[in-house]
Amino acid sequence: MKRAVTAARWREERTVRIDGTELAVWGREEYPDAGTAPHVVLVHGFEERWDSWEPLVEQLPQTARVSALSLPWRAGSPHTWPRHGDAATWLLRALEVLDRPPDLFVGHSFGACALLQLLARHPGHPYHSVPATLVAPVWRVSDPSLTPEFFAEARTRFRYTITEGLNIQLRTRGRIVSPALLRIMAAKVLKRVEPEGFLQFYLELARLPELPLDRILAPLLVVSGLDDAAAPGGDLEVLRSRVRNVTLCQTPHLGHFCQTQQPGYVAEQITDFLPMLRLPHSAEEMRTT
């Protein structure tokens, strides 16, 4: 069902600094009573921003409260945050900034994997059973032995994804740049991100194959493209076999940044997921609840 698009307006709800690193929560202004609206919390990917979610949020029901986290691996970061904790630890710290627990997580790419780590490695925290939608997670069964050839290939893939993400963010903000200018801008981003950001990115991903996925009690929805090189389809099939309650939605037309490029489709999968979890997502359902 096609949903009417409404431009989202945001407010910065709270900002804290931990070990010199800033964490922030941004909330969508338009939502019904805070006590009844389902609370959707968004976890952005590597070198993305909290407002990278705007195209998707504009497609989500107005009856949901939406909070977007600004996390240490955001765009512009010096990527020194791993010196004070891994991605799951930082995500847990950010969640403690919220004034109300989430009813649903939505994470993209690296952020989706941070959610997986949180759900699998921290069984005692209050978010252990919160349902989650993982959009194009970069989870892998395993990576080959670290050889110079593999390292070079991984770095090439990393650079391509960072450049593609930059291009999509520019287009989302109405800026269409020439290929030459995009290369110059991407080179500046990569100069900042590499080598520390690249190394930390892959150190985080290297932990994923050993996650105790059988500990995850929360229902998961995985939305990904069949031809997404950063999120291999075969690996996600293995993920589905190892987690108790997973719905896997894979289609050929989705790119790695589908939450920005195909936000209507991704929003549709998320809102279809909500009734299954008995979360109200329409005015009538909210009155009934």
Side-chain angles (χ1 to χ4, degrees):
M1 181 179 66
K2 190 172 181 179
R3 186 178 306 281
V5 176
T6 304
R9 291 184 298 176
W10 298 84
R11 66 178 180 277
E12 189 173 4
E13 295 184 341
R14 191 176 178 192
T15 300
V16 300
R17 294 189 73 86
I18 300 175
D19 292 324
T21 298
E22 182 180 284
L23 300 171
V25 179
W26 289 78
R28 181 171 69 171
E29 289 185 346
E30 301 88 355
Y31 65 90
D33 180 68
T36 59
H39 190 192
V40 180
V41 174
L42 308 175
V43 182
H44 64 73
F46 198 85
E47 276 294 306
E48 297 176 3
R49 291 163 39 98
W50 66 269
D51 56 359
S52 300
W53 291 105
E54 283 192 331
L56 177 66
V57 172
E58 289 171 1
Q59 300 280 348
L60 292 177
Q62 293 296 306
T63 49
R65 178 183 179 184
V66 181
S67 296
L69 303 179
S70 181
L71 295 153
W73 49 87
R74 69 181 70 85
S77 169
H79 296 294
T80 57
W81 51 270
R83 300 172 188 175
H84 302 285
D86 61 12
T89 299
W90 279 107
L91 177 56
L92 190 57
R93 290 167 178 164
L95 294 174
E96 291 170 352
V97 179
L98 296 172
D99 63 359
R100 179 188 152 191
D103 295 306
L104 176 71
F105 289 120
V106 182
H108 174 244
S109 190
F110 184 85
C113 292
L115 276 172
L116 269 180
Q117 292 190 62
L118 180 71
L119 295 172
R121 285 183 169 158
H122 297 266
H125 65 71
Y127 315 108
H128 184 50
S129 299
V130 175
T133 297
L134 311 179
V135 181
V138 288
W139 184 85
R140 293 173 181 268
V141 177
S142 63
D143 273 329
S145 299
L146 187 57
T147 63
E149 292 76 20
F150 170 73
F151 188 86
E153 187 276 331
R155 189 179 181 191
T156 299
R157 188 169 63 241
F158 176 82
R159 287 181 165 188
Y160 172 79
T161 304
I162 292 292
T163 303
E164 182 184 16
L166 174 64
N167 188 25
I168 291 170
Q169 289 183 47
L170 290 170
R171 289 178 177 273
T172 301
R173 290 163 176 76
R175 295 185 60 190
I176 300 177
V177 301
S178 67
L181 180 57
L182 177 63
R183 285 193 295 270
I184 293 172
M185 297 175 72
K188 290 182 178 179
V189 172
L190 289 168
K191 184 177 180 179
R192 171 180 52 78
V193 174
E194 294 181 329
E196 186 149 13
F198 167 73
L199 293 175
Q200 299 300 346
F201 180 85
Y202 272 93
L203 284 173
E204 285 284 337
L205 297 190
R207 301 187 182 106
L208 299 180
E210 297 181 0
L211 281 179
L213 297 176
D214 58 310
R215 292 185 184 178
I216 297 179
L217 302 179
L220 300 183
L221 168 67
V222 180
V223 181
S224 188
L226 287 170
D227 302 321
D228 182 357
D235 285 9
L236 295 181
E237 284 286 353
V238 175
L239 176 66
R240 177 166 65 173
S241 70
R242 295 184 182 178
V243 181
R244 304 180 190 187
N245 187 356
V246 179
T247 301
L248 181 58
C249 175
Q250 285 187 299
T251 57
H253 71 279
L254 293 181
H256 187 65
F257 297 92
C258 53
Q259 85 284 8
T260 300
Q261 294 177 297
Q262 296 98 2
Y265 180 85
V266 177
E268 183 179 359
Q269 307 313 308
I270 294 172
T271 52
D272 286 348
F273 194 46
L274 295 182
M276 182 178 71
L277 305 170
R278 299 182 182 178
L279 293 177
H281 71 289
S282 70
E284 181 60 34
E285 286 175 323
M286 294 204 55
R287 284 193 293 270
T288 302
T289 302

